[in-house]
Amino acid sequence: EANYLLIVSHIKQKQYAKAEELIEQSLKISPDDSKLLNLQALVEQLNGNLDKAIIRYQTIVKKDKTNIPALMGLARIYVVQANWKKAKQRFNQVLEINPNELKAYLGLAAIAEKQGKPEAAEQYFWDALKQTQNNISETLILADLLTRWYRGKKQPEKTLDLANTLVKQNPDSIALRSFLAKAQILNEQYKAAERTLTKLIRLNRNDVKHRLLLAQLIIKEGKRTDEALILINEALTINNYTLSIYTLKVKILVSQKDYEQAINLAQSIQLKFPKVNTGKLLEAEINRIQKKFDKSIALYQEAYTIQPDRKIFSTIINILLSQQEADKAIVLLTEKVNN
């Protein structure tokens, strides 16, 4: 077992020669070990020796027709070679042995897509989802992949259908209701998303994630920033150590033109998170909005000292140029070049 782990570690680090050496040593002791033989074929595959890898995988399958890793290895090589017929044959063999092998469905979906058969590709995704009804984490992985596929096809409405179907199958799943909320937002069904998020928050009083999502959704309406602030303050009561929550609160205060509170909070953020420059950047931007350019530049420079960044440097230069202070901009640029 220790050897397997070490071999896999070498493979992950792309240390194929070391992996191959250790496999050969291990095979002298256990010449029929199918795990070792599959790893040996995999190393050949990763090294680009596809013909050798095929021979090794085929040797394993001749001894054991139900060896899924070898069948999957063959299928993936055939996909690389665009040998769709053989690839499909191997993926289907895998599914005959184990209908729950999700990667085989995804492989078939990829082939269908390559062959210009989007309806077939979509069906393979749904076939995979049927196998995961009792496994929410796997369902979500597949749902995310299918959502990306729908986005590529510019069919966001199908993501909403997907989400509704999954929630009907698993009505008690908070994770799937969260997926539904995101699908509703993707389809600009903001009121429906607000209702879904509100239900999720009621189900869990300590839910920070969905409070933030709801706050961001409400902010889009512009006139409901007070409601958004309430949600943000609730989130901070639950979790006062996440920087992004504070940052969102500053942005809401700025949208309300409550610059004094926004600056006070930005300064508090810098004290609470001194290793990052977020507080300084927020305070600099607030001063910039108020057209307090000298103060803004000074704060951007402090932020740059904490965490040097091209964007900050460019911002300083742009402010100087906008204020007809090209001479100062030239000095800074000269210093930057010299350093």
Side-chain angles (χ1 to χ4, degrees):
E1 187 65 35
N3 273 3
Y4 294 139
L5 294 174
L6 188 54
I7 291 164
V8 170
S9 176
H10 286 320
I11 291 171
K12 285 181 178 178
Q13 295 175 61
K14 298 184 179 181
Q15 297 173 342
Y16 302 137
K18 288 184 178 180
E20 197 168 14
E21 184 181 348
L22 189 53
I23 290 168
E24 288 176 2
Q25 290 173 5
S26 301
L27 282 171
K28 287 177 183 177
I29 301 167
S30 306
D32 297 321
D33 188 318
S34 63
K35 283 186 181 180
L36 290 171
L37 292 168
N38 270 302
L39 287 171
Q40 188 179 44
L42 176 61
V43 170
E44 294 286 12
Q45 184 179 344
L46 293 171
N47 272 322
N49 302 322
L50 300 187
D51 291 339
K52 284 186 178 180
I54 287 172
I55 291 168
R56 292 195 184 281
Y57 282 132
Q58 285 176 334
T59 302
I60 297 167
V61 172
K62 281 179 184 177
K63 291 181 180 178
D64 178 9
K65 292 180 181 179
T66 64
N67 192 295
I68 287 177
L71 290 168
M72 288 293 290
L74 283 169
R76 286 170 177 147
I77 291 173
Y78 292 139
V79 166
V80 170
Q81 295 177 333
N83 190 334
W84 310 129
K85 184 178 178 180
K86 285 189 175 181
K88 285 174 70 174
Q89 180 188 357
R90 294 305 187 180
F91 281 133
N92 282 318
Q93 274 184 267
V94 168
L95 291 175
E96 285 175 14
I97 298 162
N98 179 12
N100 296 316
E101 191 65 43
L102 301 182
K103 289 179 181 178
Y105 291 105
L106 296 177
L108 288 167
I111 292 170
E113 184 69 15
K114 289 283 188 183
Q115 292 181 315
K117 300 175 182 178
E119 294 86 359
E122 183 179 8
Q123 187 57 53
Y124 283 125
F125 277 112
W126 281 98
D127 290 344
L129 282 164
K130 286 177 187 175
Q131 306 300 321
T132 67
Q133 286 187 29
N134 297 320
N135 188 323
I136 301 300
S137 61
E138 287 187 350
T139 296
L140 284 168
I141 290 169
L142 286 171
D144 183 57
L145 290 171
L146 186 50
T147 296
R148 293 181 194 179
W149 190 80
Y150 284 143
R151 280 182 181 173
K153 300 295 180 185
K154 297 182 179 178
Q155 296 175 317
E157 70 284 353
K158 288 195 171 184
T159 297
L160 190 57
D161 294 338
L162 168 65
N164 281 316
T165 299
L166 295 177
V167 168
K168 283 178 185 176
Q169 290 174 354
N170 297 276
D172 298 326
S173 170
I174 289 175
L176 289 177
R177 285 193 179 276
S178 179
F179 178 71
L180 172 61
K182 291 171 185 174
Q184 289 165 333
I185 292 169
L186 180 65
N187 284 273
E188 298 182 359
Q189 294 190 3
Y190 299 131
K191 289 298 179 185
E194 187 175 334
R195 288 192 294 272
T196 302
L197 290 168
T198 301
K199 285 178 184 176
L200 284 166
I201 293 166
R202 285 175 184 163
L203 288 169
N204 180 5
R205 291 181 181 180
N206 294 322
D207 188 329
V208 171
K209 174 184 169 184
H210 295 114
R211 276 184 170 84
L212 295 180
L213 196 55
L214 181 55
Q216 289 168 327
L217 184 61
I218 288 172
I219 290 168
K220 287 184 178 181
E221 293 189 23
K223 296 179 181 179
R224 299 174 63 191
T225 51
D226 285 341
E227 290 178 54
L229 266 181
I230 290 169
L231 288 162
I232 295 298
N233 286 330
E234 288 174 353
L236 284 170
T237 300
I238 300 162
N239 174 350
N240 67 354
Y241 48 83
T242 299
L243 179 57
S244 59
I245 306 175
Y246 290 97
T247 302
L248 184 56
K249 183 172 180 179
V250 170
K251 289 178 180 177
I252 294 171
L253 291 170
V254 170
S255 73
Q256 294 179 327
K257 297 186 178 180
D258 190 345
Y259 300 126
E260 186 178 349
Q261 274 204 64
I263 284 175
N264 288 338
L265 181 54
Q267 290 171 345
S268 297
I269 289 170
Q270 194 58 51
L271 290 171
K272 191 173 183 67
F273 304 95
K275 292 183 179 180
V276 294
N277 60 10
T278 305
K280 291 291 181 185
L281 286 175
L282 289 168
E283 190 180 355
E285 185 58 26
I286 297 163
N287 277 279
R288 186 181 183 183
I289 291 167
Q290 294 179 288
K291 300 188 185 304
K292 297 178 180 178
F293 297 114
D294 289 343
K295 179 67 174 172
S296 179
I297 288 170
L299 287 161
Y300 276 123
Q301 287 175 324
E302 289 179 39
Y304 187 85
T305 302
I306 298 167
Q307 286 179 290
D309 182 90
R310 280 185 185 178
K311 288 183 180 178
I312 300 173
F313 188 78
S314 296
T315 301
I316 295 169
I317 297 298
N318 289 336
I319 294 172
L320 288 170
L321 292 173
S322 70
Q323 296 305 299
Q324 309 301 318
E325 296 186 271
D327 54 332
K328 292 183 180 179
I330 290 168
V331 170
L332 279 175
L333 286 167
T334 302
E335 289 175 355
K336 178 76 171 172
V337 171
N338 290 336
N339 289 334

